[in-house]
Amino acid sequence: MSAGKYRKDHTCLNCGFHVEEHYCSRCGQANLELKENLWHFITHSIAHYFHFDNKFFKTLSPLLTKPGQVTLDYLAGKRARYINPVNMYIFVSIIYFLVAYSPKRHEKPEVETQTEKAIGQNDKTVDSINNVLADAGLDKAIGKKATQTIAAQLEREQFRKMSFKNQEFVLQKLDSQYKANKSDVLAKTIDKYKEIHTVRNDSTYEAYLARQNKLPLLQRDGWFQRFVKKRSFGIGENSELINEKLEHNRPKQYFLLMPLMALFIMVNFRKNHIYYMDHLIFTIHGMTAFFLISIITQTLTKYIFGPHSTISDLINVAMLGWILWYMYKALTLFYQRKRKTTIWRMIWIFVLYGISIKITEVIIVNVIYYLAM
């Protein structure tokens, strides 16, 4: 990348100090001509953002292929060749967020289509039973009654497997049919379906209250238990939206947990007598490498192979294996401990960090529920 045309005047335009060569020895500004073309302006701006010409790519290769080496070099004073750890982490985490986070469209589920498929499958089953009974030579009246009983049982089982919203759709449809053509058989079917719908694991807060009201007064839950239930139902009913917002805040969560991760590493390798800031730089480099690989895996699993494909599952397994390999190699190189000690310390770090992730997830979910819902 061209540095541009240097000025003949050796007086620094920024601080007025005498410039011996191309850069001011007092403030570091390049002694360049002020006029520049569009291409140089763009390329110089990009280079200035990274504070180098190719530092990002010079940092990228050893960061991914030699775990722990970049941190050792950086702490040893070899910093001119590498990008600042925080700058690189912020840039990579932004790219990761753009790749990994894709807002989902909240569309109403195609409950009618799902219901029709279920009914169609039941019809095929009933037809098969009719054929078997006919081949067996049973009386038509008996066979009809038997198939009706079996069909009703199949429909109830299918209804029980449906989601709560799909059950609501079916009940609304049955109520409309009952209003148009009152039938005792249909009324009994609706009653049985409503019973399944109401007591189905207390699927909604209303269903939970309905069941509570049927219990004796002394057996009912207290106000605090009802409060907890209401909150859990609210989170469950809005789980898709809450999970989306949770994923949206993942980069912030990881960033805020980095100092804690560094603390866990420091505690486990306290006999090395290393300053906390060194542990933190080691953690920042590790998280940056994790984001870089995640950008690749997320692109493959989300946009190419699909999140539920076999190849995506293999990619996720490979990603887990890479994390274990990278962490072990980085800890071994940076802390110079025995293999057994490193492995046990690594396990403890993962356990403590995993607990921290879960605790912060609970906090974030509750914040989202109470403030954003």
Side-chain angles (χ1 to χ4, degrees), residues 217-259:
L217 190 61
L218 295 177
Q219 295 181 15
R220 296 178 187 178
D221 292 339
W223 69 269
F224 181 74
Q225 291 170 305
R226 293 194 178 203
F227 169 78
V228 173
K229 281 284 187 181
K230 185 176 182 179
R231 173 190 151 282
S232 63
F233 286 131
I235 292 175
E237 290 170 0
N238 298 282
S239 59
E240 186 176 352
L241 183 59
I242 290 174
N243 286 332
E244 182 180 327
K245 290 186 177 182
L246 178 62
E247 291 304 316
H248 178 84
N249 287 283
R250 282 291 185 198
K252 299 175 186 175
Q253 181 188 19
Y254 290 147
F255 181 78
L256 293 174
L257 283 178
M258 271 199 306

mmCIF file of all heavy atoms in Angstrom, residues 217-259:
data_model
loop_
_atom_site.group_PDB
_atom_site.id
_atom_site.type_symbol
_atom_site.label_atom_id
_atom_site.label_comp_id
_atom_site.label_asym_id
_atom_site.label_seq_id
_atom_site.Cartn_x
_atom_site.Cartn_y
_atom_site.Cartn_z
ATOM 1 N N LEU A 217 -58.644 -25.742 49.219
ATOM 2 C CA LEU A 217 -57.983 -24.480 49.554
ATOM 3 C C LEU A 217 -56.597 -24.697 50.144
ATOM 4 O O LEU A 217 -55.647 -23.973 49.807
ATOM 5 C CB LEU A 217 -58.859 -23.691 50.536
ATOM 6 C CG LEU A 217 -58.419 -22.246 50.803
ATOM 7 C CD1 LEU A 217 -58.450 -21.434 49.519
ATOM 8 C CD2 LEU A 217 -59.306 -21.616 51.873
ATOM 9 N N LEU A 218 -56.444 -25.709 51.009
ATOM 10 C CA LEU A 218 -55.166 -25.948 51.672
ATOM 11 C C LEU A 218 -54.112 -26.527 50.731
ATOM 12 O O LEU A 218 -52.911 -26.485 51.031
ATOM 13 C CB LEU A 218 -55.365 -26.886 52.872
ATOM 14 C CG LEU A 218 -56.215 -26.328 54.027
ATOM 15 C CD1 LEU A 218 -56.408 -27.377 55.117
ATOM 16 C CD2 LEU A 218 -55.564 -25.064 54.620
ATOM 17 N N GLN A 219 -54.542 -27.094 49.605
ATOM 18 C CA GLN A 219 -53.609 -27.719 48.673
ATOM 19 C C GLN A 219 -53.171 -26.765 47.557
ATOM 20 O O GLN A 219 -52.315 -27.102 46.743
ATOM 21 C CB GLN A 219 -54.229 -28.969 48.051
ATOM 22 C CG GLN A 219 -54.486 -30.079 49.055
ATOM 23 C CD GLN A 219 -55.074 -31.322 48.409
ATOM 24 O OE1 GLN A 219 -55.046 -31.481 47.188
ATOM 25 N NE2 GLN A 219 -55.628 -32.210 49.231
ATOM 26 N N ARG A 220 -53.742 -25.570 47.530
ATOM 27 C CA ARG A 220 -53.404 -24.625 46.468
ATOM 28 C C ARG A 220 -52.059 -23.941 46.750
ATOM 29 O O ARG A 220 -51.646 -23.799 47.889
ATOM 30 C CB ARG A 220 -54.505 -23.556 46.336
ATOM 31 C CG ARG A 220 -55.841 -24.118 45.915
ATOM 32 C CD ARG A 220 -56.897 -23.023 45.863
ATOM 33 N NE ARG A 220 -58.226 -23.578 45.617
ATOM 34 C CZ ARG A 220 -59.343 -22.863 45.563
ATOM 35 N NH1 ARG A 220 -59.292 -21.541 45.749
ATOM 36 N NH2 ARG A 220 -60.502 -23.456 45.343
ATOM 37 N N ASP A 221 -51.398 -23.537 45.683
ATOM 38 C CA ASP A 221 -50.115 -22.837 45.815
ATOM 39 C C ASP A 221 -50.317 -21.454 46.408
ATOM 40 O O ASP A 221 -51.365 -20.830 46.218
ATOM 41 C CB ASP A 221 -49.437 -22.703 44.437
ATOM 42 C CG ASP A 221 -48.994 -24.049 43.899
ATOM 43 O OD1 ASP A 221 -48.840 -24.989 44.697
ATOM 44 O OD2 ASP A 221 -48.790 -24.155 42.668
ATOM 45 N N GLY A 222 -49.289 -20.985 47.134
ATOM 46 C CA GLY A 222 -49.333 -19.643 47.710
ATOM 47 C C GLY A 222 -49.051 -18.576 46.666
ATOM 48 O O GLY A 222 -48.768 -18.863 45.500
ATOM 49 N N TRP A 223 -49.078 -17.306 47.104
ATOM 50 C CA TRP A 223 -48.902 -16.187 46.171
ATOM 51 C C TRP A 223 -47.523 -16.190 45.517
ATOM 52 O O TRP A 223 -47.384 -15.867 44.333
ATOM 53 C CB TRP A 223 -49.134 -14.859 46.890
ATOM 54 C CG TRP A 223 -48.070 -14.517 47.900
ATOM 55 C CD1 TRP A 223 -48.067 -14.827 49.225
ATOM 56 C CD2 TRP A 223 -46.840 -13.827 47.640
ATOM 57 N NE1 TRP A 223 -46.914 -14.372 49.826
ATOM 58 C CE2 TRP A 223 -46.146 -13.734 48.876
ATOM 59 C CE3 TRP A 223 -46.268 -13.254 46.513
ATOM 60 C CZ2 TRP A 223 -44.909 -13.131 48.995
ATOM 61 C CZ3 TRP A 223 -45.023 -12.638 46.621
ATOM 62 C CH2 TRP A 223 -44.358 -12.577 47.853
ATOM 63 N N PHE A 224 -46.483 -16.602 46.305
ATOM 64 C CA PHE A 224 -45.137 -16.604 45.740
ATOM 65 C C PHE A 224 -44.994 -17.683 44.678
ATOM 66 O O PHE A 224 -44.390 -17.454 43.612
ATOM 67 C CB PHE A 224 -44.100 -16.823 46.847
ATOM 68 C CG PHE A 224 -42.685 -16.817 46.351
ATOM 69 C CD1 PHE A 224 -42.073 -15.620 45.990
ATOM 70 C CD2 PHE A 224 -41.973 -18.002 46.224
ATOM 71 C CE1 PHE A 224 -40.765 -15.610 45.516
ATOM 72 C CE2 PHE A 224 -40.671 -17.995 45.750
ATOM 73 C CZ PHE A 224 -40.069 -16.792 45.406
ATOM 74 N N GLN A 225 -45.557 -18.874 44.950
ATOM 75 C CA GLN A 225 -45.498 -19.951 43.963
ATOM 76 C C GLN A 225 -46.261 -19.565 42.695
ATOM 77 O O GLN A 225 -45.825 -19.863 41.581
ATOM 78 C CB GLN A 225 -46.081 -21.236 44.566
ATOM 79 C CG GLN A 225 -45.216 -21.830 45.676
ATOM 80 C CD GLN A 225 -45.926 -22.952 46.412
ATOM 81 O OE1 GLN A 225 -47.030 -22.758 46.918
ATOM 82 N NE2 GLN A 225 -45.290 -24.111 46.476
ATOM 83 N N ARG A 226 -47.370 -18.865 42.861
ATOM 84 C CA ARG A 226 -48.129 -18.412 41.689
ATOM 85 C C ARG A 226 -47.347 -17.355 40.911
ATOM 86 O O ARG A 226 -47.396 -17.329 39.686
ATOM 87 C CB ARG A 226 -49.489 -17.848 42.127
ATOM 88 C CG ARG A 226 -50.409 -18.900 42.709
ATOM 89 C CD ARG A 226 -51.829 -18.409 42.813
ATOM 90 N NE ARG A 226 -52.716 -19.444 43.332
ATOM 91 C CZ ARG A 226 -54.017 -19.487 43.139
ATOM 92 N NH1 ARG A 226 -54.604 -18.520 42.446
ATOM 93 N NH2 ARG A 226 -54.754 -20.446 43.629
ATOM 94 N N PHE A 227 -46.632 -16.497 41.649
ATOM 95 C CA PHE A 227 -45.818 -15.480 40.987
ATOM 96 C C PHE A 227 -44.725 -16.135 40.142
ATOM 97 O O PHE A 227 -44.487 -15.741 38.995
ATOM 98 C CB PHE A 227 -45.198 -14.565 42.046
ATOM 99 C CG PHE A 227 -44.138 -13.642 41.515
ATOM 100 C CD1 PHE A 227 -44.493 -12.494 40.812
ATOM 101 C CD2 PHE A 227 -42.788 -13.930 41.692
ATOM 102 C CE1 PHE A 227 -43.521 -11.645 40.310
ATOM 103 C CE2 PHE A 227 -41.818 -13.086 41.197
ATOM 104 C CZ PHE A 227 -42.190 -11.938 40.504
ATOM 105 N N VAL A 228 -44.058 -17.153 40.717
ATOM 106 C CA VAL A 228 -43.000 -17.863 39.995
ATOM 107 C C VAL A 228 -43.575 -18.573 38.772
ATOM 108 O O VAL A 228 -42.979 -18.555 37.690
ATOM 109 C CB VAL A 228 -42.293 -18.872 40.930
ATOM 110 C CG1 VAL A 228 -41.318 -19.743 40.145
ATOM 111 C CG2 VAL A 228 -41.570 -18.139 42.049
ATOM 112 N N LYS A 229 -44.743 -19.191 38.933
ATOM 113 C CA LYS A 229 -45.395 -19.879 37.814
ATOM 114 C C LYS A 229 -45.748 -18.908 36.704
ATOM 115 O O LYS A 229 -45.545 -19.191 35.514
ATOM 116 C CB LYS A 229 -46.665 -20.577 38.318
ATOM 117 C CG LYS A 229 -46.427 -21.889 39.041
ATOM 118 C CD LYS A 229 -46.120 -22.991 38.049
ATOM 119 C CE LYS A 229 -46.048 -24.347 38.750
ATOM 120 N NZ LYS A 229 -45.716 -25.429 37.790
ATOM 121 N N LYS A 230 -46.286 -17.755 37.087
ATOM 122 C CA LYS A 230 -46.681 -16.768 36.079
ATOM 123 C C LYS A 230 -45.472 -16.297 35.284
ATOM 124 O O LYS A 230 -45.536 -16.152 34.055
ATOM 125 C CB LYS A 230 -47.360 -15.570 36.767
ATOM 126 C CG LYS A 230 -47.920 -14.544 35.790
ATOM 127 C CD LYS A 230 -48.660 -13.441 36.512
ATOM 128 C CE LYS A 230 -49.262 -12.447 35.513
ATOM 129 N NZ LYS A 230 -50.016 -11.374 36.193
ATOM 130 N N ARG A 231 -44.370 -16.076 35.982
ATOM 131 C CA ARG A 231 -43.147 -15.648 35.308
ATOM 132 C C ARG A 231 -42.630 -16.732 34.360
ATOM 133 O O ARG A 231 -42.244 -16.453 33.223
ATOM 134 C CB ARG A 231 -42.091 -15.319 36.350
ATOM 135 C CG ARG A 231 -40.725 -15.014 35.794
ATOM 136 C CD ARG A 231 -39.697 -14.948 36.900
ATOM 137 N NE ARG A 231 -38.373 -15.319 36.442
ATOM 138 C CZ ARG A 231 -37.962 -16.557 36.238
ATOM 139 N NH1 ARG A 231 -38.786 -17.565 36.465
ATOM 140 N NH2 ARG A 231 -36.742 -16.812 35.816
ATOM 141 N N SER A 232 -42.628 -17.997 34.827
ATOM 142 C CA SER A 232 -42.125 -19.086 33.979
ATOM 143 C C SER A 232 -43.003 -19.290 32.757
ATOM 144 O O SER A 232 -42.508 -19.555 31.657
ATOM 145 C CB SER A 232 -42.038 -20.394 34.787
ATOM 146 O OG SER A 232 -43.323 -20.808 35.217
ATOM 147 N N PHE A 233 -44.340 -19.151 32.921
ATOM 148 C CA PHE A 233 -45.241 -19.269 31.772
ATOM 149 C C PHE A 233 -45.007 -18.128 30.786
ATOM 150 O O PHE A 233 -45.013 -18.324 29.572
ATOM 151 C CB PHE A 233 -46.703 -19.259 32.230
ATOM 152 C CG PHE A 233 -47.135 -20.539 32.895
ATOM 153 C CD1 PHE A 233 -47.797 -20.509 34.109
ATOM 154 C CD2 PHE A 233 -46.865 -21.760 32.316
ATOM 155 C CE1 PHE A 233 -48.192 -21.678 34.731
ATOM 156 C CE2 PHE A 233 -47.253 -22.940 32.929
ATOM 157 C CZ PHE A 233 -47.920 -22.904 34.142
ATOM 158 N N GLY A 234 -44.810 -16.926 31.326
ATOM 159 C CA GLY A 234 -44.570 -15.775 30.460
ATOM 160 C C GLY A 234 -43.309 -15.942 29.637
ATOM 161 O O GLY A 234 -43.287 -15.649 28.434
ATOM 162 N N ILE A 235 -42.258 -16.474 30.282
ATOM 163 C CA ILE A 235 -41.005 -16.715 29.559
ATOM 164 C C ILE A 235 -41.196 -17.816 28.530
ATOM 165 O O ILE A 235 -40.710 -17.734 27.397
ATOM 166 C CB ILE A 235 -39.887 -17.074 30.551
ATOM 167 C CG1 ILE A 235 -39.541 -15.853 31.403
ATOM 168 C CG2 ILE A 235 -38.646 -17.581 29.817
ATOM 169 C CD1 ILE A 235 -38.522 -16.120 32.497
ATOM 170 N N GLY A 236 -41.941 -18.866 28.921
ATOM 171 C CA GLY A 236 -42.177 -19.974 27.997
ATOM 172 C C GLY A 236 -42.986 -19.571 26.772
ATOM 173 O O GLY A 236 -42.672 -19.955 25.640
ATOM 174 N N GLU A 237 -44.020 -18.770 26.980
ATOM 175 C CA GLU A 237 -44.873 -18.355 25.868
ATOM 176 C C GLU A 237 -44.140 -17.417 24.904
ATOM 177 O O GLU A 237 -44.478 -17.340 23.729
ATOM 178 C CB GLU A 237 -46.129 -17.663 26.411
ATOM 179 C CG GLU A 237 -47.086 -18.620 27.112
ATOM 180 C CD GLU A 237 -48.193 -17.891 27.851
ATOM 181 O OE1 GLU A 237 -48.208 -16.638 27.803
ATOM 182 O OE2 GLU A 237 -49.028 -18.561 28.474
ATOM 183 N N ASN A 238 -43.144 -16.687 25.414
ATOM 184 C CA ASN A 238 -42.374 -15.765 24.569
ATOM 185 C C ASN A 238 -40.948 -16.256 24.369
ATOM 186 O O ASN A 238 -40.036 -15.460 24.140
ATOM 187 C CB ASN A 238 -42.347 -14.371 25.211
ATOM 188 C CG ASN A 238 -43.728 -13.764 25.350
ATOM 189 O OD1 ASN A 238 -44.300 -13.255 24.400
ATOM 190 N ND2 ASN A 238 -44.281 -13.839 26.555
ATOM 191 N N SER A 239 -40.767 -17.581 24.452
ATOM 192 C CA SER A 239 -39.419 -18.148 24.415
ATOM 193 C C SER A 239 -38.687 -17.832 23.117
ATOM 194 O O SER A 239 -37.480 -17.550 23.129
ATOM 195 C CB SER A 239 -39.483 -19.662 24.617
ATOM 196 O OG SER A 239 -40.279 -20.261 23.607
ATOM 197 N N GLU A 240 -39.394 -17.862 21.990
ATOM 198 C CA GLU A 240 -38.732 -17.612 20.708
ATOM 199 C C GLU A 240 -38.167 -16.194 20.649
ATOM 200 O O GLU A 240 -37.013 -15.977 20.263
ATOM 201 C CB GLU A 240 -39.718 -17.831 19.560
ATOM 202 C CG GLU A 240 -39.069 -17.733 18.186
ATOM 203 C CD GLU A 240 -40.037 -18.048 17.055
ATOM 204 O OE1 GLU A 240 -41.171 -18.488 17.343
ATOM 205 O OE2 GLU A 240 -39.642 -17.841 15.899
ATOM 206 N N LEU A 241 -38.985 -15.227 21.056
ATOM 207 C CA LEU A 241 -38.545 -13.832 21.040
ATOM 208 C C LEU A 241 -37.435 -13.593 22.059
ATOM 209 O O LEU A 241 -36.455 -12.881 21.789
ATOM 210 C CB LEU A 241 -39.731 -12.910 21.325
ATOM 211 C CG LEU A 241 -39.465 -11.401 21.266
ATOM 212 C CD1 LEU A 241 -38.962 -10.995 19.884
ATOM 213 C CD2 LEU A 241 -40.723 -10.628 21.628
ATOM 214 N N ILE A 242 -37.570 -14.203 23.247
ATOM 215 C CA ILE A 242 -36.558 -14.042 24.290
ATOM 216 C C ILE A 242 -35.234 -14.658 23.846
ATOM 217 O O ILE A 242 -34.166 -14.066 24.035
ATOM 218 C CB ILE A 242 -37.046 -14.667 25.614
ATOM 219 C CG1 ILE A 242 -38.179 -13.826 26.200
ATOM 220 C CG2 ILE A 242 -35.901 -14.777 26.614
ATOM 221 C CD1 ILE A 242 -38.827 -14.420 27.425
ATOM 222 N N ASN A 243 -35.282 -15.846 23.237
ATOM 223 C CA ASN A 243 -34.058 -16.495 22.765
ATOM 224 C C ASN A 243 -33.382 -15.671 21.679
ATOM 225 O O ASN A 243 -32.145 -15.598 21.612
ATOM 226 C CB ASN A 243 -34.369 -17.898 22.237
ATOM 227 C CG ASN A 243 -34.665 -18.882 23.349
ATOM 228 O OD1 ASN A 243 -34.174 -18.724 24.462
ATOM 229 N ND2 ASN A 243 -35.465 -19.893 23.063
ATOM 230 N N GLU A 244 -34.194 -15.048 20.836
ATOM 231 C CA GLU A 244 -33.631 -14.198 19.783
ATOM 232 C C GLU A 244 -32.891 -13.002 20.394
ATOM 233 O O GLU A 244 -31.781 -12.664 19.979
ATOM 234 C CB GLU A 244 -34.744 -13.711 18.855
ATOM 235 C CG GLU A 244 -34.230 -12.853 17.699
ATOM 236 C CD GLU A 244 -35.344 -12.380 16.784
ATOM 237 O OE1 GLU A 244 -36.336 -13.132 16.622
ATOM 238 O OE2 GLU A 244 -35.238 -11.270 16.250
ATOM 239 N N LYS A 245 -33.500 -12.381 21.393
ATOM 240 C CA LYS A 245 -32.853 -11.242 22.052
ATOM 241 C C LYS A 245 -31.637 -11.685 22.850
ATOM 242 O O LYS A 245 -30.652 -10.947 22.959
ATOM 243 C CB LYS A 245 -33.857 -10.525 22.958
ATOM 244 C CG LYS A 245 -34.947 -9.789 22.182
ATOM 245 C CD LYS A 245 -35.827 -8.975 23.104
ATOM 246 C CE LYS A 245 -36.866 -8.188 22.307
ATOM 247 N NZ LYS A 245 -37.711 -7.344 23.161
ATOM 248 N N LEU A 246 -31.707 -12.906 23.389
ATOM 249 C CA LEU A 246 -30.561 -13.448 24.118
ATOM 250 C C LEU A 246 -29.376 -13.632 23.177
ATOM 251 O O LEU A 246 -28.242 -13.255 23.511
ATOM 252 C CB LEU A 246 -30.933 -14.785 24.768
ATOM 253 C CG LEU A 246 -29.834 -15.509 25.542
ATOM 254 C CD1 LEU A 246 -29.363 -14.674 26.722
ATOM 255 C CD2 LEU A 246 -30.324 -16.875 26.026
ATOM 256 N N GLU A 247 -29.630 -14.202 21.988
ATOM 257 C CA GLU A 247 -28.564 -14.368 21.001
ATOM 258 C C GLU A 247 -28.035 -13.017 20.539
ATOM 259 O O GLU A 247 -26.845 -12.868 20.255
ATOM 260 C CB GLU A 247 -29.072 -15.180 19.812
ATOM 261 C CG GLU A 247 -29.357 -16.640 20.127
ATOM 262 C CD GLU A 247 -28.140 -17.354 20.702
ATOM 263 O OE1 GLU A 247 -27.037 -17.157 20.157
ATOM 264 O OE2 GLU A 247 -28.273 -18.079 21.698
ATOM 265 N N HIS A 248 -28.923 -12.047 20.459
ATOM 266 C CA HIS A 248 -28.525 -10.692 20.063
ATOM 267 C C HIS A 248 -27.516 -10.103 21.058
ATOM 268 O O HIS A 248 -26.637 -9.321 20.679
ATOM 269 C CB HIS A 248 -29.773 -9.808 19.985
ATOM 270 C CG HIS A 248 -29.490 -8.379 19.636
ATOM 271 N ND1 HIS A 248 -29.336 -7.948 18.340
ATOM 272 C CD2 HIS A 248 -29.304 -7.283 20.405
ATOM 273 C CE1 HIS A 248 -29.070 -6.656 18.330
ATOM 274 N NE2 HIS A 248 -29.054 -6.217 19.572
ATOM 275 N N ASN A 249 -27.635 -10.503 22.315
ATOM 276 C CA ASN A 249 -26.757 -9.963 23.358
ATOM 277 C C ASN A 249 -25.568 -10.866 23.670
ATOM 278 O O ASN A 249 -24.826 -10.595 24.622
ATOM 279 C CB ASN A 249 -27.565 -9.738 24.647
ATOM 280 C CG ASN A 249 -28.501 -8.546 24.540
ATOM 281 O OD1 ASN A 249 -28.087 -7.399 24.627
ATOM 282 N ND2 ASN A 249 -29.783 -8.807 24.328
ATOM 283 N N ARG A 250 -25.379 -11.944 22.881
ATOM 284 C CA ARG A 250 -24.270 -12.868 23.127
ATOM 285 C C ARG A 250 -22.906 -12.174 23.123
ATOM 286 O O ARG A 250 -22.095 -12.396 24.040
ATOM 287 C CB ARG A 250 -24.275 -13.983 22.090
ATOM 288 C CG ARG A 250 -25.294 -15.064 22.327
ATOM 289 C CD ARG A 250 -24.981 -15.902 23.540
ATOM 290 N NE ARG A 250 -25.932 -17.001 23.640
ATOM 291 C CZ ARG A 250 -26.146 -17.698 24.730
ATOM 292 N NH1 ARG A 250 -25.479 -17.398 25.832
ATOM 293 N NH2 ARG A 250 -27.017 -18.677 24.740
ATOM 294 N N PRO A 251 -22.588 -11.359 22.099
ATOM 295 C CA PRO A 251 -21.270 -10.708 22.100
ATOM 296 C C PRO A 251 -21.017 -9.870 23.358
ATOM 297 O O PRO A 251 -19.913 -9.871 23.894
ATOM 298 C CB PRO A 251 -21.318 -9.828 20.842
ATOM 299 C CG PRO A 251 -22.299 -10.504 19.944
ATOM 300 C CD PRO A 251 -23.345 -11.061 20.867
ATOM 301 N N LYS A 252 -22.059 -9.173 23.821
ATOM 302 C CA LYS A 252 -21.918 -8.381 25.047
ATOM 303 C C LYS A 252 -21.681 -9.286 26.248
ATOM 304 O O LYS A 252 -20.870 -8.971 27.128
ATOM 305 C CB LYS A 252 -23.174 -7.539 25.274
ATOM 306 C CG LYS A 252 -23.461 -6.537 24.163
ATOM 307 C CD LYS A 252 -24.782 -5.844 24.399
ATOM 308 C CE LYS A 252 -25.157 -4.943 23.235
ATOM 309 N NZ LYS A 252 -26.494 -4.350 23.406
ATOM 310 N N GLN A 253 -22.398 -10.407 26.271
ATOM 311 C CA GLN A 253 -22.236 -11.356 27.367
ATOM 312 C C GLN A 253 -20.812 -11.901 27.407
ATOM 313 O O GLN A 253 -20.179 -11.931 28.470
ATOM 314 C CB GLN A 253 -23.231 -12.507 27.215
ATOM 315 C CG GLN A 253 -23.164 -13.542 28.324
ATOM 316 C CD GLN A 253 -24.029 -14.758 28.041
ATOM 317 O OE1 GLN A 253 -24.412 -15.003 26.898
ATOM 318 N NE2 GLN A 253 -24.340 -15.521 29.061
ATOM 319 N N TYR A 254 -20.300 -12.325 26.259
ATOM 320 C CA TYR A 254 -18.941 -12.850 26.195
ATOM 321 C C TYR A 254 -17.915 -11.782 26.590
ATOM 322 O O TYR A 254 -16.937 -12.078 27.279
ATOM 323 C CB TYR A 254 -18.633 -13.351 24.780
ATOM 324 C CG TYR A 254 -19.393 -14.602 24.392
ATOM 325 C CD1 TYR A 254 -19.790 -14.822 23.073
ATOM 326 C CD2 TYR A 254 -19.723 -15.570 25.336
ATOM 327 C CE1 TYR A 254 -20.476 -15.959 22.710
ATOM 328 C CE2 TYR A 254 -20.415 -16.706 24.993
ATOM 329 C CZ TYR A 254 -20.795 -16.900 23.672
ATOM 330 O OH TYR A 254 -21.488 -18.033 23.315
ATOM 331 N N PHE A 255 -18.156 -10.555 26.141
ATOM 332 C CA PHE A 255 -17.223 -9.470 26.447
ATOM 333 C C PHE A 255 -17.180 -9.197 27.949
ATOM 334 O O PHE A 255 -16.107 -9.029 28.534
ATOM 335 C CB PHE A 255 -17.619 -8.203 25.690
ATOM 336 C CG PHE A 255 -16.696 -7.047 25.919
ATOM 337 C CD1 PHE A 255 -15.469 -6.989 25.270
ATOM 338 C CD2 PHE A 255 -17.038 -6.020 26.793
ATOM 339 C CE1 PHE A 255 -14.594 -5.924 25.484
ATOM 340 C CE2 PHE A 255 -16.174 -4.951 27.006
ATOM 341 C CZ PHE A 255 -14.953 -4.904 26.351
ATOM 342 N N LEU A 256 -18.347 -9.156 28.583
ATOM 343 C CA LEU A 256 -18.410 -8.876 30.016
ATOM 344 C C LEU A 256 -17.860 -10.029 30.852
ATOM 345 O O LEU A 256 -17.400 -9.819 31.979
ATOM 346 C CB LEU A 256 -19.857 -8.575 30.425
ATOM 347 C CG LEU A 256 -20.455 -7.276 29.858
ATOM 348 C CD1 LEU A 256 -21.936 -7.172 30.205
ATOM 349 C CD2 LEU A 256 -19.703 -6.055 30.388
ATOM 350 N N LEU A 257 -17.910 -11.245 30.303
ATOM 351 C CA LEU A 257 -17.424 -12.407 31.047
ATOM 352 C C LEU A 257 -15.928 -12.641 30.871
ATOM 353 O O LEU A 257 -15.346 -13.464 31.580
ATOM 354 C CB LEU A 257 -18.191 -13.673 30.614
ATOM 355 C CG LEU A 257 -19.601 -13.830 31.172
ATOM 356 C CD1 LEU A 257 -20.252 -15.083 30.625
ATOM 357 C CD2 LEU A 257 -19.590 -13.882 32.698
ATOM 358 N N MET A 258 -15.300 -11.941 29.933
ATOM 359 C CA MET A 258 -13.865 -12.143 29.709
ATOM 360 C C MET A 258 -13.024 -11.854 30.958
ATOM 361 O O MET A 258 -12.123 -12.637 31.281
ATOM 362 C CB MET A 258 -13.387 -11.303 28.528
ATOM 363 C CG MET A 258 -13.504 -12.026 27.199
ATOM 364 S SD MET A 258 -12.467 -11.308 25.909
ATOM 365 C CE MET A 258 -12.992 -9.605 25.955
ATOM 366 N N PRO A 259 -13.264 -10.744 31.671
ATOM 367 C CA PRO A 259 -12.482 -10.520 32.904
ATOM 368 C C PRO A 259 -12.664 -11.648 33.922
ATOM 369 O O PRO A 259 -11.718 -12.004 34.633
ATOM 370 C CB PRO A 259 -13.052 -9.202 33.440
ATOM 371 C CG PRO A 259 -13.601 -8.508 32.236
ATOM 372 C CD PRO A 259 -14.149 -9.597 31.381
#
